[in-house]
Amino acid sequence: MDKFLVEKSPPLRGTVRISGAKNSALPILAASLLGTEDIILEDVPKLKDVEVMCEVLTCLGAKVEILDKGIIKINSKDINNYETPYELMSKMRASFLVMGPLLSRTGKTKTSMPGGCAIGTRPIDLHLKGFKALGAKIDVNHGNIGAYAERLIGDRIYLDFPSVGATENIMMAAVMAEGETIIDNAAMEPEIVDLANFLNKLGADIKGAGTSSIRIKGVKELGGATHSVIPDRIEAGTFMVAAAITNGDVVVENVITSHIKPIIAKLREAGCQVIENENKDKVRVIGSASPRAVDIKTLPYPGFPTDMQAQFMALMSVAKGTSVIIETVFENRFMHVDELKRMGADIKIDGRSAIIQGVDSLMAAPVKATDLRAGAALVLAGLVSDGVTEISDIYHIDRGYENMEEKFAQLGANIRRI
Ligand code: UD1
């Protein structure tokens, strides 16, 4: 199994181009099941999770072709299966996102219940609440879950929590339902807006994506379109923190700066300079020799993203002073803490809070990537640790970062895959 070896690195310098967003590409690939004509997706990141989603689409009968770097062509005219096998579901939770489109397209969908994962129990009750409200019958037995509906009828659905996946799945189920569906307390993440824009290009009638109330007027059918995936705000944030932690000077290209406001704000609070260009599609991050401790509370968008919590914790581990990081989105997202402590970080957990006392330096140690963003945090910590940090289980990192080691190496980081 691959590992990363990360050595203490000089301040990172140069320019890095951010890939298309994993969390946009996955729902958009799932939504491609809804159209009956050719769909061309551009700026699709080359990631393990994207590969799995393409396998899911193929297994459902869609034709998926990789045309060029980052360009995928999909035709779902002849989908002939409504079941996602356990093997694919267990490889990636986001496979669950095909349920909404299948229900809409074929009136039935079946898969295995997604299990828990490293960052929490991650229930799917809100997805099912939405399907039920649209008239589907839900059947759960022997670890399988099915949703069936002869016709879907629009309704008003209130989400108890603005779940990203539930908002996406319900939106996709509702696009061809009769009448109007309103999702209240919907997630407002940029990836929701990207999905809605894509669906509207296919012929859907969705308004309000990006606000907490999304209105979907059902249409008869959806066709084809060409669509470019938005840049990955979490990959951008990870490289911004890399510049900060190494006291470097890095230009991060292909970003939408309005999507990363909390990251920019917190880096500035920590004493870094963050300069946005006029087009708001690049940021330059100039580190500080002695970054300050800042407090962070993760929240649904536009709050501070939970997917950047671990990376900021790496930065806070070497900041001046004490910081408190409160994780409100997932109940068990502190798996990286024990690994950072192996590297000499001083962190205490109290329920959903982590109290981090910055230390002068970290020491290399063998560590394990327990999930995708935890893995990114360990790479960042490795860049400023004395010695060679050996990170195992980096398949988690490959799920969500395109060419991570090449991009880091281009900026002068000492990182290699073995
Ligand atoms: C998506 C992202 C993930 C990110 C997360 C929060 C993708 C592929 N993944 O995950 O990277 O960390 O948003 O920004 O886009 N919940 C329920 N019931 C449900 C659904 C969710 O209680 O039916 C809870 C979850 O347990 C969690 C919270 O809602 O505590 C947020 O989850 P959700 O927004 O659904 O995250 P995902 O869509 O799974």
Side-chain angles (χ1 to χ4, degrees):
M1 273 223 267
D2 287 5
K3 290 180 180 179
F4 276 154
L5 295 183
V6 186
E7 272 176 72
K8 191 172 185 127
S9 301
L12 299 194
R13 286 186 196 285
T15 299
V16 59
R17 186 182 187 275
I18 298 307
S19 303
K22 166 179 92 74
N23 288 353
S24 250
L26 295 176
I28 287 173
L29 282 164
S32 299
L33 290 169
L34 287 160
T36 49
E37 290 163 33
D38 282 349
I39 289 170
I40 310 276
L41 300 179
E42 298 168 340
D43 241 336
V44 181
K46 192 170 174 346
L47 301 171
K48 195 73 205 154
D49 273 8
V50 165
E51 241 174 67
V52 176
M53 187 57 96
C54 289
E55 268 182 67
V56 173
L57 299 187
T58 306
C59 139
L60 297 169
K63 291 198 183 69
V64 181
E65 274 175 80
I66 315 272
L67 294 186
D68 200 351
K69 193 172 174 290
I71 304 180
I72 299 186
K73 179 175 166 189
I74 299 149
N75 189 299
S76 304
K77 188 162 157 278
D78 299 319
I79 52 173
N80 52 18
N81 183 5
Y82 65 97
E83 259 185 73
T84 313
Y86 173 74
E87 184 220 334
L88 289 176
M89 175 56 74
S90 60
K91 274 193 194 166
M92 181 183 67
R93 258 189 69 86
S95 309
F96 200 70
L97 289 171
V98 298
M99 283 200 98
L102 282 176
L103 187 59
S104 172
R105 203 47 218 287
T106 68
K108 50 192 176 185
T109 169
K110 191 174 166 196
T111 186
S112 53
M113 286 285 272
C117 76
I119 61 174
T121 54
R122 301 185 83 172
I124 49 163
D125 54 316
L126 298 172
H127 301 237
L128 302 182
K129 179 179 175 181
F131 296 160
K132 263 192 219 159
L134 298 175
K137 188 177 153 291
I138 308 293
D139 181 25
V140 182
N141 62 53
H142 301 294
N144 290 319
I145 180 153
Y148 307 89
E150 271 175 26
R151 49 202 274 250
L152 293 168
I153 300 171
D155 200 352
R156 192 156 194 148
I157 298 155
Y158 172 80
L159 296 182
D160 302 278
F161 183 90
S163 153
V164 174
T167 304
E168 291 167 343
N169 234 339
I170 297 167
M171 202 157 80
M172 294 188 283
V175 274
M176 290 191 276
E178 290 168 39
E180 189 173 65
T181 300
I182 298 174
I183 310 175
D184 284 321
N185 200 27
M188 302 193 283
E189 269 69 2
E191 293 76 19
I192 305 278
V193 180
D194 203 23
L195 174 63
N197 287 342
F198 169 67
L199 289 168
N200 284 340
K201 282 187 192 169
L202 297 183
D205 184 352
I206 304 174
K207 293 200 172 74
T211 74
S212 63
S213 188
I214 302 179
R215 273 169 192 269
I216 305 139
K217 277 200 191 132
V219 297
K220 283 262 175 306
E221 61 174 5
L222 298 181
T226 296
H227 184 79
S228 285
V229 174
I230 57 168
D232 196 310
R233 62 197 166 98
I234 306 302
E235 189 198 6
T238 304
F239 281 101
M240 291 166 74
V241 173
I245 202 168
T246 61
N247 190 16
D249 182 349
V250 172
V251 175
V252 181
E253 266 183 8
N254 192 36
V255 289
I256 298 172
T257 58
S258 60
H259 294 172
I260 52 172
K261 279 185 190 166
I263 302 168
I264 295 177
K266 286 291 160 184
L267 284 176
R268 283 185 179 148
E269 258 182 57
C272 302
Q273 276 186 69
V274 183
I275 304 155
E276 299 175 51
N277 70 340
E278 226 175 280
N279 285 341
K280 310 277 181 205
D281 59 2
K282 279 186 204 174
V283 278
R284 178 175 172 197
V285 180
I286 305 171
S288 140
S290 167
R292 290 189 290 270
V294 295
D295 293 337
I296 282 164
K297 185 175 188 176
T298 66
L299 287 168
Y301 191 86
F304 188 92
T306 172
D307 285 350
M308 280 302 300
Q309 183 253 105
Q311 300 89 314
F312 259 80
M313 194 178 294
L315 176 62
M316 290 304 107
S317 299
V318 290
K320 207 172 170 49
T322 308
S323 51
V324 178
I325 297 185
I326 307 175
E327 171 59 57
T328 77
V329 178
F330 289 106
E331 80 273 20
N332 180 29
R333 205 174 192 177
F334 283 139
M335 302 282 281
H336 42 283
V337 168
D338 282 340
E339 304 302 306
L340 288 171
K341 280 164 82 171
R342 293 170 61 83
M343 300 173 76
D346 179 353
I347 307 172
K348 288 185 187 65
I349 300 290
D350 181 8
R352 289 192 163 209
S353 304
I355 299 117
I356 305 122
Q357 177 65 52
V359 294
D360 289 337
S361 63
L362 295 174
M363 306 162 288
V367 286
K368 206 182 255 187
T370 50
D371 70 64
L372 169 57
R373 308 304 171 184
L378 297 175
V379 171
L380 296 172
L383 296 175
V384 291
S385 297
D386 291 320
V388 183
T389 301
E390 185 179 307
I391 307 173
S392 56
D393 287 2
I394 60 166
Y395 62 89
H396 284 296
I397 299 178
D398 293 333
R399 284 186 32 224
Y401 286 91
E402 186 175 42
N403 299 334
M404 186 201 242
E405 70 272 31
E406 279 169 38
K407 289 187 181 188
F408 268 111
Q410 255 174 36
L411 299 173
N414 293 321
I415 177 169
R416 93 194 137 83
R417 184 183 287 260
I418 53 162

